[in-house]
Amino acid sequence: RNISAARQPVKHDTEKNKAQWKTMGPAKVAVPSQKNFLKKHSKEPKLPERKKEQDSKKLPALSVPQRTYHPVTEIQNRKNFINANVVAAVTALPKKPQPIYVDRRQGDKYLLETSGLVPKYIKKKDYGVTPKYVTQRNEEKKRAQKEYEASILEHLQKVAMKQLSDEERTSLLQGLKKNWEELYREFQCLPVEIDTILKRLYKEKLESQMRQLEHDIEVIEKHKVIYIANE
């Protein structure tokens, strides 16, 4: 078998150092000297020594007044406050008691002014007066309505619209009714049996014309003011 070349040196070093650790720690320990004993306050931190330059500096002047300083006092007031208070108390008006109300049988009292039972609001000067913003809003609404009507009239004038008078409206209505009566007379003259295509088409034509005339008559009777375009 192969044998390591470092076997003998390692074995020698192990046997050499093994005897030193048979006790707690090394066998030979350096014993402290008796002269280097622990002194009092030896482990406390030491401040650096004060330099001479700092001692030579002068302290700043303080803003504290000196002991010999006497401030100038005002002239002493010779008013007799006792007599003044007596006169004020005699001539003062008696204090009016505040109105109160009691709402429990235990006699608990509360101020009447802050309870809401006193009708303060109806005694205001502007009570019942329309607010300014409402009046302003109504005026703006009326002005907008006038501007709208003016724009409508201007538009009607641009497109050259003409308003029918009462006589023209009456004559137009009578003419439409007369035409409807003529068409109705023709409709009644139709045969009972519609057996051809031409008769059926003619009947449908009369019915459509009569419906259109009835619609026009209803519109004219419903609206009193009618505008027509000038050709």
Side-chain angles (χ1 to χ4, degrees):
R1 293 181 300 176
N2 296 327
I3 299 174
S4 175
R7 181 179 180 183
Q8 292 298 331
V10 171
K11 186 177 180 180
H12 178 69
D13 294 339
T14 303
E15 292 177 352
K16 181 180 179 181
N17 298 328
K18 189 175 181 180
Q20 296 182 4
W21 300 99
K22 288 183 179 181
T23 60
M24 297 294 292
K28 294 181 181 181
V29 181
V31 180
S33 177
Q34 296 180 357
K35 295 181 179 180
N36 297 332
F37 57 89
L38 186 62
K39 297 181 181 180
K40 187 177 182 181
H41 304 294
S42 61
K43 291 188 177 182
E44 293 181 358
K46 295 182 181 181
L47 296 175
E49 296 181 359
R50 189 173 183 180
K51 297 181 180 179
K52 295 181 180 181
E53 296 179 359
Q54 295 180 356
D55 298 339
S56 61
K57 289 183 180 180
K58 295 182 179 180
L59 296 176
L62 300 177
S63 59
V64 180
Q66 297 180 1
R67 187 178 298 177
T68 57
Y69 175 74
H70 298 285
V72 180
T73 57
E74 297 180 359
I75 300 174
Q76 186 176 3
N77 193 358
R78 297 180 180 180
K79 181 180 178 180
N80 192 343
F81 290 95
I82 298 176
N83 295 337
N85 293 338
V86 171
V87 173
V90 171
T91 58
L93 296 175
K95 187 177 181 181
K96 295 182 180 181
Q98 294 183 347
I100 59 176
Y101 73 98
V102 180
D103 62 347
R104 295 182 181 181
R105 63 183 180 180
Q106 285 81 5
D108 297 337
K109 298 179 181 180
Y110 302 96
L111 292 178
L112 183 62
E113 185 177 359
T114 58
S115 64
L117 301 175
V118 181
K120 284 186 174 181
Y121 188 75
I122 59 176
K123 295 182 180 180
K124 296 177 67 176
K125 294 182 179 179
D126 56 348
Y127 179 76
V129 181
T130 305
K132 293 183 179 180
Y133 73 93
V134 176
T135 306
Q136 185 178 1
R137 185 180 300 174
N138 293 336
E139 292 177 356
E140 291 178 356
K141 187 176 180 180
K142 291 179 181 179
R143 184 167 58 254
Q145 183 67 22
K146 290 181 180 179
E147 292 178 357
Y148 175 73
E149 293 177 357
S151 63
I152 292 295
L153 292 176
E154 185 179 358
H155 178 69
L156 294 177
Q157 291 176 0
K158 286 182 180 180
V159 297
M161 298 293 288
K162 178 183 177 182
Q163 182 180 357
L164 288 179
S165 61
D166 295 339
E167 294 80 6
E168 293 176 347
R169 177 176 172 276
T170 304
S171 62
L172 179 61
L173 189 60
Q174 291 177 356
L176 292 175
K177 290 181 178 180
K178 185 177 180 182
N179 294 337
W180 185 86
E181 291 176 356
E182 293 177 357
L183 290 175
Y184 184 69
R185 191 179 300 108
E186 293 180 4
F187 183 79
Q188 287 181 338
C189 295
L190 291 174
V192 178
E193 184 178 358
I194 306 298
D195 52 355
T196 61
I197 297 176
L198 293 176
K199 291 180 181 181
R200 183 169 59 81
L201 294 175
Y202 184 63
K203 180 183 178 182
E204 292 177 357
K205 180 181 178 182
L206 291 176
E207 290 177 349
S208 63
Q209 291 178 356
M210 289 173 65
R211 283 195 299 269
Q212 182 64 35
L213 288 173
E214 289 174 357
H215 175 71
D216 296 341
I217 292 170
E218 184 181 0
V219 170
I220 294 175
E221 288 179 347
K222 185 177 180 180
H223 300 86
K224 300 297 182 181
V225 180
I226 300 174
Y227 292 92
I228 59 174
N230 293 328
E231 297 180 355

